[in-house]
Amino acid sequence: DGGITQSPKYLFRKEGQNVTLSCEQNLNHDAMYWYRQDPGQGLRLIYYSQIVNDFQKGDIAEGYSVSREKKESFPLTVTSAQKNPTAFYLCASSTLTGGRFYGYTFGSGTRLTVV
Amino acid sequence: AQTVTQSQPEMSVQEAETVTLSCTYDTSESDYYLFWYKQPPSRQMILVIRQEAYKQQNATENRFSVNFQKAAKSFSLKISDSQLGDAAMYFCAYRSADNYGQNFVFGPGTRLSVLP
């Protein structure tokens, strides 16, 4: 079955550590996205990529980095510069069908906690 | 810039009853998409319904339907015959039909409780 796989489901980070969240899709989607969700809040865009080897900052990119070396993969690194990284992280992908947009497909998320 | 507003932070409905969630948006564009996503306690985001702005007919998906009022920039979601499994956060989202560099604009969400 096609879908988006995020791993790990739960991640614990010590102060000052970099951690990488994995996002893999087998939907052949061109675009991929990373969102952050804080408790009781909506979704805020961190980074997005519309093609391989290209990505753009979203609204809250500071303290995060990404890469897009393969169409299927869009890992997110939370660096030590991100002062409040405890949150739920969602990866999504999308494509156009017949030139029209049909929405995002989301992964199941990663819960990151700083310990 | 586009904005999406959901004026009801929380709502509740009795099982088997009907509930309507409100969404308004602000845009100067004429061609765009609107969506409702559901986020249950598992936190998996699930697409509920999609509407294309150039289509006047309101979208429906089983018990879920929308009331799309383009001139009023309103996009409400109606859930009929509410079930316990409908309890979730519901997010309204906007996306321009300009396919270059466009992303979703999400509303803040409405938490729906279903009472047995």
Side-chain angles (χ1 to χ4, degrees), chain A residues 3-100:
Chain A
I4 296 182
T5 300
Q6 287 188 244
S7 62
K9 192 174 179 68
Y10 300 96
L11 185 58
F12 297 89
R13 191 194 94 167
K14 293 182 180 179
E15 296 278 357
Q17 267 187 344
N18 292 354
V19 292
T20 297
L21 284 59
S22 171
C23 179
E24 303 276 337
Q25 56 103 354
N26 60 3
L27 299 165
N28 199 33
H29 284 181
D30 297 305
M32 297 186 74
Y33 313 81
W34 274 105
Y35 284 89
R36 170 178 172 144
Q37 187 177 29
D38 292 286
Q41 303 293 315
L43 281 71
R44 293 186 290 169
L45 181 65
I46 305 172
Y47 268 99
Y48 65 100
S49 167
Q50 294 191 305
I51 56 172
V52 175
N53 293 320
D54 188 46
F55 49 83
Q56 283 77 42
K57 294 181 180 179
D59 301 319
I60 55 165
E62 185 175 351
Y64 301 97
S65 66
V66 294
S67 63
R68 187 87 185 276
E69 298 177 359
K70 299 186 301 181
K71 188 175 185 178
E72 301 79 17
S73 179
F74 192 42
L76 173 74
T77 296
V78 184
T79 74
S80 57
Q82 172 48 241
K83 298 307 178 188
N84 185 24
T86 294
F88 186 66
Y89 291 86
L90 280 163
C91 180
S93 70
S94 70
T95 192
L96 300 177
T97 303
R100 303 304 285 179

